[in-house]
Amino acid sequence: MNWDDTPAEAAFRTEVRQFIKDSFPAAYSPDVHAEQGLEPEDVRGYDWPADRDCADRARAAGAREWAAALAARGWIASRWPVEYGGAALPVAAEFVLNEELVRAKVPTVNSLGVSLLGPTLLRHGTAAQKATHLPPIARGERTWAQGFSEPDAGSDLAGLRTRAVRDGTYYVVNGRKVWTSLGQHADWLFILVRTGTDPAEPRHRGLTYLLVDARSEGVTVRPIKDMRGAEPFSEILFEDVRVPVADRVGEENRGWYVAMDTLSFERAAISTAVKLEQALTGLVDYVNSESGAGRLHEGWGSGIRAEVARRYTEVRVLYNVARYTVSRQAAGSVPGYEASVNQLFGAELHQRLAKTGARVFGQHSLMWRGDKASGAPLDGEFTHRQFDAVAATFLGGTSEIQRGIIATRGLGLPRA
């Protein structure tokens, strides 16, 4: 397949680059020593959902100014219809836009609301839900978090226990979600709950997809600290939370199928490929620099050179898998097993690249970022990458889940 830009795509790529150069707020500078979330779209030094409401007024103003600049062009939710605040861009143009944002190392805006909830509502939502929720996302005014994982279920989504009981025009929700990315910064939540009552039915039946105002009475959000000392996700408790039936997406007890579409959109990102390519390029450039060669020459033999070459080949494979996934979207398909290939390969490559960096830097790979006295290579980037990579193979669905999807949906193998 030929992934070269068409003339129209090349012209749009040039337009995007110029827009970033002209419009990104100069005062919105990266805080490279601050930890951020773990989503593929995260750019080192930025955490847009946290930045927009942080105590640093200049940083908060920069985050909001950047959102306004993107929103003015419909580029926060670039593929959405214009009536909902998007730009109605074709899939290939959205790909170019997202790729250039990541390559420029500037943050995307409203990533979960745009990439997950938005496409789900466009496919399954009512007219009222679209009119109510999509425009604020496209303006950068309302952020969302995904409440799927639970303490006793994790990636086994069908095993969730949070229950919703119908009470007239409301559902009363009780339960607990965990590992909710950016939950403490979210205005709204999209969650999956159990509404079915028949114990004999399959576990994936009887689930319902709800939209929940995070400020609702009975919602408690508790940030969770990870091994880096950061708080990229939260535990969320629901105690008799009343959710209007009008905020149900799709049919009652049929939420599993809505959620599967949401997860398919989650796994179709280009950001991981670009970020890993940038990290690998930075690694090679550092080792080939005068200071890097002088400190690390013992670990830069033929074996590690071959390993780095393999990582580069794998990064290019991941990029092409992402392009193929996008081509499927352009043809009108919801990403299926192809997106799981993308997620699985990208997550495991993230871990392999982190290990390669540890081999290159040897004992220097123990140095923590921001410790200027230690002179950590690349400011300890690969030390932190090792910590980040731990979660990679279960963050967007475990490797076992991805392999199961690839086997049954992609290869047509029977279920175990």
Side-chain angles (χ1 to χ4, degrees):
M1 295 183 180
N2 182 3
W3 299 131
D4 291 342
D5 287 343
T6 65
E9 291 163 2
F12 183 65
R13 192 179 295 276
T14 299
E15 178 186 350
V16 172
R17 290 174 179 173
Q18 190 63 45
F19 165 79
I20 295 171
K21 181 179 179 181
D22 295 342
S23 303
F24 191 77
Y28 191 15
S29 57
D31 182 358
V32 295
H33 294 146
E35 298 293 359
Q36 70 251 353
L38 298 174
E39 298 300 322
E41 295 81 6
D42 293 336
V43 175
R44 182 179 174 187
Y46 295 103
D47 188 348
W48 184 84
D51 291 343
R52 68 172 188 140
D53 293 322
C54 71
D56 184 334
R57 292 186 178 181
R59 192 168 188 79
R64 292 174 182 273
E65 182 181 343
W66 176 231
L70 287 167
R73 290 184 172 232
W75 283 2
I76 289 179
S78 57
R79 276 188 62 205
W80 295 5
V82 174
E83 65 185 290
Y84 298 125
L89 292 183
V91 173
E94 180 193 47
F95 180 94
V96 168
L97 173 61
N98 291 338
E99 181 180 1
E100 290 303 319
L101 290 173
V102 177
R103 290 196 183 280
K105 299 182 179 180
V106 298
T108 55
V109 170
N110 248 336
S111 61
L112 295 180
V114 170
S115 63
L116 301 186
L117 179 68
T120 302
L121 287 185
L122 287 171
R123 183 176 290 268
H124 297 282
T126 65
Q129 288 169 346
K130 295 173 188 177
T132 299
H133 296 294
L134 296 183
I137 297 173
R139 293 192 298 264
E141 297 172 355
R142 183 177 297 169
T143 58
W144 289 77
Q146 175 188 20
F148 283 8
S149 295
E150 296 190 5
D152 297 321
S155 292
D156 181 17
L157 188 56
L160 66 84
R161 299 181 181 179
T162 296
R163 177 161 289 281
V165 177
R166 183 76 175 262
D167 181 17
T169 59
Y170 288 86
Y171 289 104
V172 179
V173 180
N174 283 279
R176 179 182 172 202
K177 301 292 181 177
V178 75
W179 314 124
T180 303
S181 297
L182 304 175
Q184 67 269 42
H185 304 299
D187 302 308
W188 280 71
L189 313 165
F190 52 99
I191 70 173
L192 206 58
V193 297
R194 188 166 297 282
T195 48
T197 58
D198 184 357
E201 67 182 0
R203 292 190 308 158
H204 71 279
R205 301 273 178 87
L207 301 180
T208 299
Y209 197 115
L210 298 179
L211 311 178
V212 182
D213 188 334
R215 297 162 298 183
S216 299
E217 184 177 354
V219 175
T220 301
V221 180
R222 298 174 179 170
I224 299 174
K225 185 170 292 188
D226 68 11
M227 65 173 63
R228 307 169 303 165
E231 296 179 340
F233 29 59
S234 298
E235 174 187 43
I236 301 181
L237 282 72
F238 300 87
E239 300 177 273
D240 293 329
V241 178
R242 297 181 69 81
V243 179
V245 172
D247 287 333
R248 182 189 70 215
V249 181
E251 299 177 32
E252 183 172 294
N253 297 329
R254 300 280 291 177
W256 174 264
Y257 306 99
V258 180
M260 289 303 99
D261 273 358
T262 298
L263 295 177
S264 293
F265 292 122
E266 180 180 35
R267 298 169 184 144
I270 179 59
S271 306
T272 300
V274 174
K275 288 171 62 180
L276 295 184
E277 178 186 10
Q278 290 173 332
L280 184 58
T281 300
L283 172 65
V284 173
D285 288 346
Y286 180 82
V287 173
N288 285 331
S289 69
E290 183 176 347
S291 59
R295 298 178 64 188
L296 307 173
H297 65 280
E298 294 180 359
W300 192 241
S302 59
I304 193 64
R305 287 175 182 270
E307 185 173 328
V308 169
R310 285 195 294 273
R311 297 295 88 81
Y312 182 80
T313 301
E314 290 166 345
V315 165
R316 296 311 302 166
V317 169
L318 180 62
Y319 180 86
N320 281 279
V321 170
R323 290 297 301 251
Y324 176 69
T325 304
V326 168
S327 74
R328 294 280 294 165
Q329 288 180 291
S333 299
V334 174
Y337 76 92
E338 304 92 348
S340 287
V341 172
N342 191 327
Q343 165 68 19
L344 174 64
F345 191 76
E348 296 188 345
L349 175 55
H350 187 179
Q351 294 179 342
R352 289 194 295 272
L353 178 58
K355 292 178 181 177
T356 297
R359 286 194 61 196
V360 169
F361 291 125
Q363 62 184 1
H364 297 92
S365 68
L366 301 176
M367 295 178 176
W368 198 246
R369 182 159 61 205
D371 185 358
K372 295 182 180 179
S374 73
L378 293 178
D379 194 22
E381 176 182 345
F382 276 82
T383 305
H384 283 242
R385 189 168 292 281
Q386 291 179 76
F387 281 74
D388 291 350
V390 170
T393 48
F394 55 84
L395 187 66
T398 65
S399 294
E400 290 79 5
I401 295 291
Q402 306 304 341
R403 286 188 168 91
I405 293 173
I406 294 166
T408 57
R409 301 183 190 176
L411 302 177
L413 299 177
R415 296 183 181 273

